[in-house]
Amino acid sequence: MSITTQKPDRLRTLLETGIAITSELSLDAVLQRIVEAAARLTEARYAALGVIDRTGTGLERFVTTGIDEQTRAAIGNLPRGRGILGVLITDSRSLRLHDLGEDPRAVGFPAHHPPMRTFLGMPIRLHGVAYGNLYLTEKVGGGDFDEEDEGLVKLLAGQAAVAIENARLYEAERATRSRQERVQMVADIALAHTGLDDLLGVMLPLIRKLLAADTCILFLVDEQSRELVVRAGDGLGTERLVGRVRYPVGEGLVGRVATEGKPVVLADVEHNTEVNPIVHELGVESLCYVPLLMPGNIVGVLHVGTLSPCVFTEDDVELLRMAADRAAMAIVHARLFQAQRETAEALAHTNEELRKLDQMKDGFVSGVSHELRTPLTSMLGYLEILQGGEAGELSDEQQHFLGIVDRNCHRLADLIEDILFLSRLDGDRFHLQRASVDLGELVAERVESIRPAAEKKRVELRLEVSGAASQLWADPSRLAQVVDNLLSNAVKFTPEGGDVFVTIATSEEATRLEVRDTGVGIPEDEAGRLFERFFRASTAQNIQGTGLGLSITKSIVEAHGGTIAVGSAVGVGTTLTVELPLASEPAPADNSTEEVSG
């Protein structure tokens, strides 16, 4: 029958329904409007719309009109697409029947279902895609559904297909946005907790809630045993499984998920032999497993379970996978933070032990040095008495022997003083007693002091002072120690007939002291270590010394705000250059004693 011959009120209903359903974005609301419109258009007592599931073999939703809630509850579960309902799923053509019960494909009605005889079925399709089917029964007045009814419902089905597609796209977009928001919640939780236990205690309940699951269990890889061990659980008392359930990586369902790096969904675990018996004890019916992966590394496996049968959708799996990715990253970061904290604590403990050992060392060095210095001072006193003839005249041989003893006692005294100085420096007990010092005069005095030793080796000592007077605000005794160390080293390492040149030059900001010798020199690759404690150059192995003098010299120079540098060549000689800043005497109120940290 032509559409133009149909009743105007039915056409108006069709038009109004088309406008209404295409403007509606809620899928449930769209489906309900379509069902109610179909019933009005065809004067059907009962109408239903079955939405075809993703497999294309059954119904995932079944929306009705005409059946009250009490009857619906008495009928029980909604139809899944068997009998006549299933015919329209597999055959996309419309179907009109005079009596449902007489069709051989019918499977009857469940208990408490109202009787239904006349029937009109219409597929809802768009661009070759089946969205569902409209089912209409029991036309008012007892007549059959005719061609006019079929034509109207066909037009409605076309409008319904467009409306359902729009509503599905809207819901998909909303679901995507919701999934992103929920995953962001997981990410926010991950960022807010640096401790692993705190992180898991908050994250697992959140993931379980996001997927409306009853259990959530996390397996982490034990790097030593290469086993997947339950690290945390939430729901149904799964916390008691922590540390008790283990799977070697690659074995069992959990181990396979880890090695293959792919999600696994079990809609029914009852007959699956790979599932741990504890799962059955908990009463879990469905499971979804996802791996926790980082680039090139298996972190663990996360799974959620439900007590009632559940078909985890692609969206569910994707949500769990995205949550697992964030969890994996957060767990790795938490582990690194924990390792860093443990390392810091271990280092702090080690440092404290070293500090105590250092204190013991300082106490030992100080005590031993003082114990050595006391008898040594007495020995030097008696040597002076003997050498002065106060105990009687000595033969030349006796004087020679006493001279050897005297030199070695002074050498030992210098060594003790060096050790005590280093101990004070390490213990932050080194103080400068500053005063006005003329560096030129001080160097000239020290040159004359060492000249006898130089002449004995036939080493020529030359002093040159250029520029204005080099007035410093410094510790005179420590500067004298610096000059003595430089001069004694130069004379000691210069062979007979060699030269030592001492130069002082003053600029506007600093004074430079340079001591250059024509001695054995130092290999280039050893020059950088010259100021290390106890270091002895390979060219100086046969010359007496402790390797402490230049280390002490450097400490004193730097305490005065100066620098020291070395230049040397084997067989040519060595040049040591000290630069000290010119400084004005501080205000009278200032204390001239300055503490120096080592």
Side-chain angles (χ1 to χ4, degrees):
M1 177 178 288
S2 171
I3 298 300
T4 56
T5 64
Q6 298 171 6
K7 297 179 181 179
D9 58 338
R10 299 180 78 184
L11 291 176
R12 187 181 304 110
T13 299
L14 182 63
L15 179 61
E16 290 174 351
T17 301
I19 294 172
I21 63 176
T22 52
S23 62
E24 180 62 65
L25 293 177
S26 168
L27 182 58
D28 288 332
V30 166
L31 298 178
Q32 192 63 48
R33 286 196 179 212
I34 292 170
V35 169
E36 292 170 357
R40 288 199 305 273
L41 285 172
T42 59
E43 297 181 328
R45 183 177 178 184
Y46 304 109
L49 194 158
V51 180
I52 299 175
D53 62 25
R54 296 174 187 273
T55 66
T57 59
L59 301 176
E60 66 178 25
R61 298 194 196 189
F62 198 77
V63 182
T64 65
T65 187
I67 298 178
D68 57 43
E69 290 297 327
Q70 184 177 355
T71 304
R72 191 196 309 275
I75 293 173
N77 294 331
L78 297 176
R80 291 297 178 186
R82 298 171 57 235
I84 296 298
L85 301 186
V87 172
L88 287 174
I89 295 175
T90 57
D91 188 342
S92 59
R93 293 174 297 177
S94 58
L95 177 64
R96 279 188 288 138
L97 297 175
H98 172 68
D99 191 338
L100 274 170
E102 293 179 356
D103 193 290
R105 296 167 295 184
V107 294
F109 298 106
H112 309 293
H113 197 284
M116 295 181 180
R117 189 176 61 83
T118 57
F119 176 82
L120 170 60
M122 179 65 64
I124 301 174
R125 300 176 64 84
L126 181 66
H127 306 307
V129 178
Y131 288 94
N133 297 302
L134 275 169
Y135 308 110
L136 302 150
T137 64
E138 292 299 292
K139 188 176 177 66
V140 175
D144 292 339
F145 293 99
D146 55 26
E147 290 183 9
E148 183 179 342
D149 296 323
E150 185 176 343
L152 285 168
V153 174
K154 186 173 183 179
L155 288 175
L156 178 62
Q159 294 174 330
V162 174
I164 292 172
E165 172 67 8
N166 290 340
R168 276 187 166 177
L169 290 174
Y170 173 74
E171 288 202 345
E173 188 275 333
R174 216 171 55 166
T176 299
R177 187 168 62 249
S178 175
R179 182 169 66 242
Q180 291 172 343
E181 290 172 353
R182 288 183 286 174
V183 170
Q184 186 58 47
M185 288 174 61
V186 175
D188 292 342
I189 290 292
L191 292 173
H193 294 78
T194 52
L196 184 57
D197 290 333
D198 291 341
L199 171 68
L200 299 180
V202 177
M203 183 174 288
L204 263 62
L206 176 61
I207 292 174
R208 184 170 69 85
K209 184 177 179 181
L210 292 180
L211 283 118
D214 298 297
T215 66
C216 183
I217 297 177
L218 174 69
F219 290 81
L220 291 183
V221 175
D222 184 325
E223 294 297 340
Q224 293 183 342
S225 64
R226 295 303 295 168
E227 290 181 317
L228 287 152
V229 185
V230 174
R231 182 63 177 78
D234 183 69
L236 301 181
T238 50
E239 299 84 354
R240 62 187 173 85
L241 304 179
V242 173
R244 293 177 52 196
V245 180
R246 296 172 173 264
Y247 289 97
V249 174
E251 296 185 17
L253 186 58
V254 174
R256 181 159 57 84
V257 171
T259 52
E260 293 179 359
K262 298 177 181 178
V264 170
V265 175
L266 297 177
D268 184 2
V269 304
E270 184 177 355
H271 302 295
N272 190 294
T273 57
E274 290 184 290
V275 173
N276 192 295
I278 295 177
V279 172
H280 299 298
E281 292 175 12
L282 293 173
V284 173
E285 293 284 345
S286 301
L287 287 169
C288 180
Y289 297 79
V290 292
L292 273 68
L293 304 173
M294 290 292 285
N297 186 32
I298 301 170
V299 177
V301 172
L302 180 69
H303 80 64
V304 294
T306 59
L307 292 177
S308 57
C310 173
V311 178
F312 289 100
T313 65
E314 291 180 7
D315 284 345
D316 293 332
V317 176
E318 180 64 12
L319 173 60
L320 189 58
R321 187 194 63 77
M322 293 173 71
D325 287 346
R326 270 77 176 168
M329 187 179 301
I331 288 167
V332 170
H333 287 173
R335 279 177 163 177
L336 290 174
F337 178 81
Q338 184 172 336
Q340 185 180 26
R341 185 173 59 187
E342 291 173 354
T343 301
E345 291 173 353
L347 285 174
H349 177 73
T350 301
N351 287 337
E352 179 61 21
E353 292 297 315
L354 289 173
R355 188 187 65 79
K356 292 178 180 178
L357 289 173
D358 201 47
Q359 285 181 337
M360 292 173 62
K361 180 264 295 179
D362 288 345
F364 174 77
V365 168
S366 180
V368 169
S369 298
H370 283 292
E371 289 298 319
L372 288 173
R373 188 164 57 175
T374 300
L376 187 60
T377 302
S378 178
M379 290 169 61
L380 287 170
Y382 280 107
L383 277 171
E384 185 177 354
I385 292 172
L386 290 172
Q387 289 174 320
E390 295 180 30
E393 291 189 13
L394 300 174
S395 65
D396 291 342
E397 185 177 21
Q398 289 173 328
Q399 286 283 8
H400 174 69
F401 290 155
L402 287 176
I404 293 174
V405 174
D406 184 69
R407 286 195 301 274
N408 281 286
C409 282
H410 278 90
R411 184 178 165 204
L412 182 58
D414 291 341
L415 176 60
I416 292 171
E417 286 301 322
D418 287 347
I419 292 174
L420 284 172
F421 176 85
L422 291 174
S423 178
R424 286 193 294 271
L425 187 67
D426 291 343
D428 294 335
R429 292 177 284 107
F430 169 43
H431 305 281
L432 294 177
Q433 302 288 337
R434 291 184 184 264
S436 180
V437 180
D438 187 316
L439 185 62
E441 289 183 5
L442 185 147
V443 172
E445 290 175 2
R446 306 322 298 165
V447 167
E448 292 307 314
S449 175
I450 201 171
R451 192 176 295 280
E455 290 175 350
K456 189 174 182 179
K457 285 187 66 177
R458 294 193 294 114
V459 171
E460 185 71 24
L461 263 176
R462 295 185 175 87
L463 173 62
E464 179 183 345
V465 180
S466 63
S470 49
Q471 204 69 26
L472 305 177
W473 183 250
D475 187 325
S477 65
R478 292 305 179 190
L479 284 190
Q481 187 177 357
V482 168
V483 177
D484 286 344
N485 282 341
L486 296 179
L487 293 176
S488 63
N489 267 6
V491 172
K492 186 194 316 184
F493 293 109
T494 300
E496 290 187 6
D499 298 290
V500 173
F501 303 92
V502 182
T503 305
I504 300 175
T506 302
S507 65
E508 293 182 359
E509 297 180 352
T511 292
R512 185 177 66 184
L513 167 64
E514 182 180 281
V515 178
R516 178 171 63 86
D517 63 53
T518 58
V520 295
I522 305 165
E524 183 179 354
D525 60 342
E526 296 180 10
R529 300 187 59 198
L530 190 62
F531 301 107
E532 293 180 9
R533 294 180 186 181
F534 305 107
F535 175 74
R536 302 268 293 158
S538 58
T539 52
Q541 297 302 314
N542 297 324
I543 302 174
Q544 288 184 343
T546 61
L548 290 176
L550 288 178
S551 173
I552 291 173
T553 298
K554 183 173 186 289
S555 297
I556 295 173
V557 170
E558 290 179 346
H560 283 83
T563 61
I564 184 169
V566 61
S568 187
V570 176
V572 177
T574 300
T575 301
L576 285 158
T577 304
V578 173
E579 285 200 5
L580 294 167
L582 296 175
S584 304
E585 182 177 351
D590 290 351
N591 195 322
S592 61
T593 300
E594 177 184 340
E595 184 175 324
V596 179
S597 297

